[in-house]
Amino acid sequence: SSSCSGLRAELARCIQESECWKSGKSFKECLKSDAEGVPFECTLLRNSYFECRRSWMDARTRFSGNKGY
């Protein structure tokens, strides 16, 4: 499993517990930065997850590894 998998699981849990998800919107809609009913915690997790994913493309982390969760 990847070093970002813990963040991904936490983000999924956070979104599924949000008012946005419970109102019937799709997961993708709730991931948007301007979505209503998404707690700030989810926004922080989303940003951390995307930064983790971005680090995969960074050559400097290929040898040292991703900053895991």
Side-chain angles (χ1 to χ4, degrees):
S1 88
S2 77
S3 58
C4 300
S5 61
L7 280 170
R8 184 178 61 225
E10 283 294 312
L11 176 59
R13 179 200 54 78
C14 190
I15 292 291
Q16 289 171 350
E17 292 175 359
S18 73
E19 291 300 318
C20 179
W21 176 262
K22 292 175 183 174
S23 72
K25 292 184 180 175
S26 73
F27 193 84
K28 192 172 186 177
E29 288 174 314
C30 292
L31 270 181
K32 292 182 180 176
S33 58
D34 60 346
E36 280 189 40
V38 177
F40 186 64
E41 175 195 358
C42 295
T43 303
L44 293 176
L45 284 168
R46 179 181 65 98
N47 292 343
S48 296
Y49 178 66
F50 290 151
E51 284 297 319
C52 185
R53 290 295 305 251
R54 182 184 300 163
S55 72
W56 286 4
M57 304 307 253
D58 186 353
R60 292 173 293 184
T61 60
R62 287 187 186 158
F63 298 108
S64 61
N66 291 331
K67 295 178 183 90
Y69 177 66

